[in-house]
Amino acid sequence: MSQTAAEATQDWADKAEQRVLDEALRLSPRLGWNAGLVRAAAAAAQLSPGETDLLLPQGPRDLAAILARRHDAKAMESLAKLDPAALKIRQKIREGVIARIDAAAHDSEAVRRWAAFLAFPTNLPLALSLLWESADQLWRWAGDVATDENHYSKRAILSGILVSTLAVDLASGRESALKHLDARIEGVMAFEKWKAGVKAPNLAAEFLTALAKMRYARS
């Protein structure tokens, strides 16, 4: 079956986005995460200025979202090798967080520039939205079907654990990150007590703290 025009356009856009992101990952340690990076990466991916504006109308914000979603996809691909039904809830969350930080650690230098960009106050809504997406995918993989307030509290708490663990991983290494992760899981009493109304953290404050740690992490 031949592609429709809309499908062909979407296919071009998806492939072009990934080409630009590949170039951005290569260039960002030198250029930072900004409009200049988008122009340089798009040119390296052989896109015209008009195609770049069409593909990434919000420039580095769009590129930041593409990177986060690539890492989400890589994490889910890794988790597909596991059977969540065979794991206890705390094991599911531990495996999910590790898979997600593994995906980001592969692009650690770019993630530091990404973090510095998202730490700007004007980018905080985007940063929180992307983090929520990551937490939601992990919970869905874990089999969460909550539709009441627990749906939101679980994702808020996991968002805080996810971003803080990534920050520790980039700053201090995997051993410290795993210790932090295990401590955080224990800190909410293995997640089961969320059903009893564990208070969600101040996610915005925790996110900004973690972004700062990522930005100034060791080289």
Side-chain angles (χ1 to χ4, degrees):
M1 182 181 296
S2 61
Q3 283 186 316
T4 66
E7 289 172 338
T9 299
Q10 186 60 53
D11 186 55
W12 171 85
D14 291 342
K15 291 179 179 179
E17 284 180 348
Q18 296 306 312
R19 293 203 316 271
V20 174
L21 180 57
D22 287 340
E23 297 295 343
L25 294 176
R26 179 177 63 84
L27 295 169
S28 60
R30 177 169 58 86
L31 299 180
W33 203 277
N34 47 48
L37 171 68
V38 174
R39 291 192 296 271
Q46 300 184 331
L47 295 184
S48 69
E51 288 173 329
T52 303
D53 290 341
L54 179 65
L55 189 69
L56 303 167
Q58 297 189 64
R61 289 170 55 83
D62 288 328
L63 197 61
I66 295 169
L67 176 58
R69 289 165 185 156
R70 175 186 281 191
H71 289 164
D72 286 341
K74 286 185 176 180
M76 298 312 297
E77 182 180 353
S78 176
L79 291 171
K81 301 171 186 176
L82 301 177
D83 177 13
L87 303 175
K88 294 181 178 180
I89 186 62
R90 62 171 71 190
Q91 293 174 307
K92 294 177 186 179
I93 300 308
R94 191 177 193 272
E95 292 293 342
V97 172
I98 291 172
R100 187 57 177 77
I101 64 175
D102 277 346
H106 180 73
D107 301 312
S108 60
E109 291 304 316
V111 168
R112 291 188 178 96
R113 276 65 179 183
W114 174 90
F117 173 76
L118 289 178
F120 284 106
T122 53
N123 294 328
L124 183 57
L126 171 63
L128 293 175
S129 176
L130 293 174
L131 180 59
W132 191 274
E133 284 184 27
S134 299
D136 182 60
Q137 289 192 50
L138 294 182
W139 268 120
R140 290 181 185 278
W141 170 80
D144 178 64
V145 295
T147 56
D148 57 8
E149 66 275 7
N150 285 319
H151 173 92
Y152 301 99
S153 61
K154 285 180 177 181
R155 282 150 182 80
I157 294 172
L158 180 54
S159 292
I161 293 172
L162 183 59
V163 72
S164 63
T165 304
L166 175 58
V168 173
D169 190 57
L170 291 175
S172 304
R174 184 54 55 93
E175 183 178 355
S176 294
L178 293 180
K179 289 180 180 178
H180 171 85
L181 173 58
D182 290 337
R184 288 295 300 266
I185 291 175
E186 290 300 322
V188 291
M189 301 188 70
F191 298 89
E192 286 91 346
K193 279 200 172 182
W194 290 354
K195 298 175 183 177
V198 172
K199 185 178 179 181
N202 182 337
L203 185 54
E206 183 157 17
F207 194 87
L208 286 173
T209 299
L211 288 177
K213 184 177 289 186
M214 283 185 239
R215 179 181 182 183
Y216 297 110
R218 66 183 183 183
S219 299

